[in-house]
Amino acid sequence: MKDSLRQQLDRLAMRLTELDASLADGAVAADMKRWRALSREQAEVAAVVALYHRHCQREADLEGARALLAEAGDDGELEAMAREEITAATAELETLQGELQAALLPRDPDDERPAFLEIRAGTGGDESALFAGDLARMYLRYCERQGWRTEVMSASPADLGGYKELVLRIEGEAVYGTLRFESGGHRVQRVPVTESQGRIHTSACTVAVMPEPEEAPEMTLNPADLRIDTFRASGAGGQHVNKTDSAIRITHLPTGLVAECQDDRSQHRNKARAMAVLAARLREKERSERAAREAATRKGLVGSGDRSDRIRTYNFPQGRMTDHRINLTLYKLGQILDGDLVEVVAALKAARATEQIAALEGAM
């Protein structure tokens, strides 16, 4: 094991001690949100540290077996026992090291979240819409096999069947982390039901998988970010107007957004209303920016929807599915379209883990 990896594991062991102490603190237990977050971290770190302790134990066992072998001399039985232990310990250490590397890979916090899965017909007209229907059935059957809950958020059926567009919400264990690799262009090669000459056509659909965002927290404004000005209310005159500075103007310095209120004679009530308006404008600004980011993410996920822009091809004449990102070809197209995506998902996850391990080793 590399020293850098061992140092990282030693730090995790120290972190576990800190987490155990924090969870035993009554003040932490009183803050349920913090307690839950620390509990989740403690469970994750404890699992890695347990693997590390097992690795350290087997390293000690290996050293002991090697020492025993050196001392065995002409004792054949002792030598055989030592060699057997060396073989077993070496094999287990190799396995444990792989598990530890995988456990240290960076985790996307969104992997555990529910997801929205969008399917849109692309190039190919009616045949593309029919293919979108096939993809929808494939994903719905897969979700059913996984025990996930699905909900149709919106659907735009096509005239001859299938969908022009379909949006599903999927909830269950590690939904986004499992389906995230499905985003991109999906291409089908087959004889369409609308083809009278029996010619093979190529059509395409796009799939986008996005994690469901967390519920936005209640808007809180930092007083240091606000400039509050008072001024005399304008109006038709009267006993009160222009005599007191009851009108309020609040400027949010980081964004430049301004809200003001002069409707009430009470400066306190005007300030409360202006704060409410400002908070609403900031929420709307965040919502608009989030929508723009999601639109950009969706575009990056699905590409153009053209036949040439694809991550996967479903070839009916040959009964095969090919994932072009990892050069995976499976000749069981019927099972895959019936929702058997286990082998495909596992291969994509393994390829990603390999890339992450290589990056982790390169950084050490």
Side-chain angles (χ1 to χ4, degrees):
M1 181 186 291
K2 291 183 178 180
D3 288 341
S4 53
L5 181 59
R6 195 179 298 275
Q7 289 168 8
Q8 193 171 353
L9 290 165
D10 285 335
R11 286 194 294 271
L12 274 182
M14 293 174 61
R15 176 59 180 160
L16 181 60
T17 302
E18 294 172 0
L19 289 166
D20 289 339
S22 295
L23 289 170
D25 188 342
V28 172
D31 185 345
M32 190 53 64
K33 184 176 180 180
R34 186 183 174 204
W35 186 86
R36 285 198 192 99
L38 290 175
S39 294
R40 283 194 297 269
E41 184 185 356
Q42 193 263 1
E44 292 174 1
V45 173
V48 180
V49 171
L51 281 174
Y52 180 42
H53 286 164
R54 176 63 180 171
H55 187 280
C56 293
Q57 179 61 53
R58 294 306 277 156
E59 282 183 323
D61 294 342
L62 180 59
E63 288 304 311
R66 285 171 174 165
L68 185 63
L69 179 63
E71 298 169 1
D74 296 332
D75 190 334
E77 185 177 346
L78 195 62
E79 179 184 353
M81 185 173 67
R83 290 190 183 280
E84 183 180 350
E85 176 62 15
I86 288 172
T87 300
T90 301
E92 188 174 353
L93 281 169
E94 188 174 336
T95 300
L96 286 168
Q97 185 157 330
E99 292 177 355
L100 283 167
Q101 284 183 319
L104 289 174
L105 293 178
R107 286 185 174 83
D108 187 336
D110 286 335
D111 280 353
E112 299 298 321
R113 299 199 60 75
F116 294 110
L117 187 147
E118 302 178 355
I119 304 171
R120 287 184 170 82
T123 306
D126 292 330
E127 166 62 7
S128 177
L130 290 170
F131 179 46
D134 293 336
L135 290 177
R137 180 179 180 275
M138 177 182 76
Y139 289 124
L140 287 168
R141 292 297 300 273
Y142 178 69
C143 292
E144 183 182 341
R145 294 180 182 209
Q146 297 294 110
W148 295 341
R149 294 174 295 282
T150 57
E151 176 185 0
V152 176
M153 304 298 291
S154 66
S156 178
D159 295 336
L160 296 182
Y163 298 98
K164 298 176 184 176
E165 176 184 323
L166 177 71
V167 180
L168 300 172
R169 180 184 181 273
I170 306 171
E171 184 179 1
E173 184 179 350
V175 169
Y176 178 68
T178 303
L179 292 177
R180 61 187 301 162
F181 307 107
E182 296 303 302
S183 294
H186 293 241
R187 184 176 67 173
V188 63
Q189 295 171 330
R190 66 183 174 187
V191 178
V193 294
T194 56
E195 169 59 51
S196 59
Q197 304 297 318
R199 292 172 298 188
I200 295 173
H201 286 227
T202 300
S203 302
C205 289
T206 58
V207 174
V209 181
M210 296 170 293
E212 182 179 63
E214 292 189 58
E215 189 174 333
E218 191 68 27
M219 176 66 69
T220 56
L221 299 176
N222 183 353
D225 292 338
L226 305 177
R227 186 180 71 232
I228 301 176
D229 301 311
T230 59
F231 59 98
R232 292 186 180 180
S234 59
Q239 292 183 346
H240 177 72
V241 174
N242 294 329
K243 291 185 178 179
T244 61
D245 293 339
S246 60
I248 294 290
R249 180 186 296 112
I250 304 177
T251 304
H252 187 247
L253 299 175
T255 62
L257 289 176
V258 177
E260 62 180 55
C261 185
Q262 56 179 320
D263 296 341
D264 201 288
R265 292 187 175 187
S266 165
Q267 185 183 101
H268 179 73
R269 285 191 290 270
N270 280 336
K271 181 179 178 182
R273 290 175 181 174
M275 289 285 278
V277 170
L278 182 61
R281 288 178 178 169
L282 283 168
R283 274 195 297 267
E284 176 59 22
K285 183 176 186 295
E286 286 185 359
R287 188 203 63 77
S288 298
E289 290 174 348
R290 185 169 63 249
R293 288 195 300 271
E294 289 173 358
T297 300
R298 183 183 293 108
K299 184 176 181 181
L301 288 174
V302 305
S304 65
D306 187 75
R307 293 184 185 95
S308 62
D309 185 14
R310 86 283 190 221
I311 61 166
R312 191 177 294 162
T313 295
Y314 304 77
N315 185 295
F316 276 69
Q318 298 178 16
R320 67 170 170 83
M321 183 232 70
T322 298
D323 195 292
H324 305 286
R325 296 165 295 181
I326 56 175
N327 295 320
L328 172 71
T329 297
L330 299 173
Y331 287 90
K332 55 174 192 177
L333 184 58
Q335 295 103 299
I336 289 170
L337 288 173
D338 195 41
D340 184 5
L341 291 172
V342 173
E343 191 172 352
V344 182
V345 169
L348 288 164
K349 283 185 172 181
R352 180 177 183 239
T354 299
E355 291 177 357
Q356 289 180 309
I357 288 172
L360 183 66
E361 290 178 341
M364 288 181 175

